[in-house]
Amino acid sequence: MSHSTRRLLTGALLVLAAGTGVGVSPVAASAAGSAATIDVGSALKARSAPTLTAKVVGSLRDGQKVTVDCSVTGQPVRGKVRTTATWDRLSDGSYISHAYVRTKAKVSSCTAAGPVAPRDAKTATFVTGRVRSADGVVNVRTGSSTVSGVARKVANGATVKVSCAVQGARVAGTVRTTTQWDRLTDGKYISHAYVVSPAVKACPAPVPVPAPAQPALTPDQFIAAAVPGAQQGWRQYGVPPSVTIAQSILESGWGRSSLSATDRNYFGIKCQNGYYGPHATGCHVYRTDECTKAGKCFETADAFRTYATMARSFRDHGHFLRDNKRYGPAFTYTRDANKFIWTVWKAGYATDPKYYTKVTGIMATYNLYRYDTWK
């Protein structure tokens, strides 16, 4: 066999990973990629993602010629050629650390190459996107919100299969600032703020499930139900019960708001970065509209705390006020309900210029002062 024939056959054979039986086929250099040579002591593992913890999908030998499609940023590796966080994506979609690669050609960035189209656009039920992140790994979550559970993490340059798009929490990412979240083919979600992809179709609207009818409480019934939790809040945190009850009436519309009817949240208290305090049971994401001072409005989503009982919501109201330093001066007046709510309002609790008047008016109209337990 001639030397030239041996070289051609060598370039066409599969190279098996030691002990795994998995091979990576070397591909001839072309205009679509950069020619490179593997420089490793024994064998170099090819992986499914640019990290040493990703699944091994093959193995390359020392001196093997490969074609590098593009490069991404992944886990830093100290190799024979260099120490780097750059990983090379080969033409078969696998990744190898650039720490073991020699090439004179300039390797382009995968993110600069633009989105990857589906293999069969006529039959594909998804589009393929690529993660672009200057913030490290990106969370794939169980829902379209930053407070939803983290299902897994994906690295910069990783590909994702996007089935459709939904609206969710607003995210400022590397690619854009958006409320769009991409639903992946496994049912999980990633913010479109970190994804480069072709146009993504909207997910079908969920079939609404009618909420069970709740009998409306009369004012006397609502107040009677509110008293135990409000008085417990006073004993635990020092907020006058008359203030707590009046604020709940004003802010929940006598318990008829969606937040109170669905989640027993009578004060509109939100989750902060997934934290929901000692009294709530979790967070519920609601879509809302917000407007800038310039009058530009946009859809966003907020996560509000959920409670098992009305009393828990009332106690959390006390905890919320006591835990926020801006309302600290109000606790000088824990036995003076009017001065207490005045100080809370002046500290920025509500922007409504008539908020104090409305709250104290409710307190007087329904004689809520009788529930202030220090009397």
Side-chain angles (χ1 to χ4, degrees), residues 95-172:
Y95 294 86
I96 57 173
S97 172
H98 196 61
Y100 298 98
V101 176
R102 294 189 183 277
T103 180
K104 294 181 180 180
K106 183 179 179 180
V107 180
S108 63
S109 169
C110 291
T111 56
V116 179
R119 290 185 179 183
D120 187 348
K122 294 182 179 179
T123 60
T125 58
F126 63 87
V127 298
T128 304
R130 194 170 303 284
V131 175
R132 182 189 295 177
S133 172
D135 305 321
V137 294
V138 179
N139 292 323
V140 174
R141 296 182 178 273
T142 56
S144 56
S145 168
T146 52
V147 299
S148 299
V150 177
R152 62 181 182 277
K153 299 176 182 291
V154 290
N156 178 49
T159 57
V160 288
K161 296 179 179 178
V162 180
S163 59
C164 58
V166 300
Q167 294 298 308
R170 187 179 182 86
V171 176

Side-chain angles (χ1 to χ4, degrees), residues 49-369:
T51 171
L52 295 175
T53 60
K55 180 182 178 181
V56 176
V57 295
S59 179
L60 302 170
R61 68 176 182 280
D62 184 43
Q64 183 170 332
K65 305 294 183 182
V66 294
T67 296
V68 176
D69 274 359
C70 54
S71 65
V72 301
T73 301
Q75 181 180 354
V77 175
R78 184 177 181 179
K80 185 176 180 182
V81 180
R82 61 183 67 82
T83 298
T84 181
T86 299
W87 286 66
D88 297 328
R89 195 184 77 205
L90 304 183
S91 54
D92 64 353
S94 64
Y95 294 86
I96 57 173
S97 172
H98 196 61
Y100 298 98
V101 176
R102 294 189 183 277
T103 180
K104 294 181 180 180
K106 183 179 179 180
V107 180
S108 63
S109 169
C110 291
T111 56
V116 179
R119 290 185 179 183
D120 187 348
K122 294 182 179 179
T123 60
T125 58
F126 63 87
V127 298
T128 304
R130 194 170 303 284
V131 175
R132 182 189 295 177
S133 172
D135 305 321
V137 294
V138 179
N139 292 323
V140 174
R141 296 182 178 273
T142 56
S144 56
S145 168
T146 52
V147 299
S148 299
V150 177
R152 62 181 182 277
K153 299 176 182 291
V154 290
N156 178 49
T159 57
V160 288
K161 296 179 179 178
V162 180
S163 59
C164 58
V166 300
Q167 294 298 308
R170 187 179 182 86
V171 176
T174 301
V175 181
R176 62 182 67 84
T177 298
T178 181
T179 57
Q180 178 177 322
W181 285 69
D182 296 333
R183 183 188 293 168
L184 307 182
T185 52
D186 63 356
K188 303 303 187 292
Y189 296 83
I190 185 171
S191 171
H192 197 59
Y194 292 99
V195 176
V196 178
S197 73
V200 181
K201 65 181 180 181
C203 294
V207 178
V209 179
Q214 296 290 337
L217 299 179
T218 66
D220 286 344
Q221 290 173 329
F222 183 90
I223 291 170
V227 169
Q231 291 184 335
Q232 179 62 28
W234 149 253
R235 290 189 290 270
Q236 194 168 0
Y237 299 109
V239 179
S242 58
V243 170
T244 301
I245 298 170
Q247 284 189 283
S248 73
I249 291 170
L250 180 60
E251 296 178 25
S252 75
W254 294 96
R256 295 184 179 93
S257 70
S258 295
L259 279 175
S260 56
T262 304
D263 299 317
R264 298 184 177 89
N265 185 333
Y266 292 84
F267 304 92
I269 300 177
K270 297 179 181 180
C271 294
Q272 286 82 35
N273 298 320
Y275 172 74
Y276 49 83
H279 298 295
T281 57
C283 305
H284 186 171
V285 178
Y286 285 86
R287 294 180 186 174
T288 60
D289 290 319
E290 291 189 6
C291 299
T292 64
K293 292 182 179 180
K296 182 179 181 180
C297 298
F298 55 90
E299 186 182 63
T300 184
D302 276 318
F304 292 85
R305 298 183 185 184
T306 62
Y307 302 92
T309 65
M310 185 183 199
R312 283 284 183 179
S313 176
F314 279 47
R315 290 170 63 190
D316 201 27
H317 170 258
H319 174 266
F320 174 80
L321 293 178
R322 175 67 81 170
D323 197 47
N324 282 268
K325 294 181 180 179
R326 66 193 298 184
Y327 305 123
F331 289 90
T332 304
Y333 308 108
T334 56
R335 292 176 181 266
D336 189 327
N338 281 27
K339 286 186 178 179
F340 184 94
I341 187 58
W342 170 267
T343 309
V344 167
W345 172 59
K346 294 298 286 185
Y349 183 89
T351 57
D352 183 353
K354 297 182 179 180
Y355 187 81
Y356 169 77
T357 304
K358 291 177 180 178
V359 173
T360 53
I362 293 171
M363 291 159 66
T365 299
Y366 297 96
N367 190 22
L368 301 182
Y369 300 106

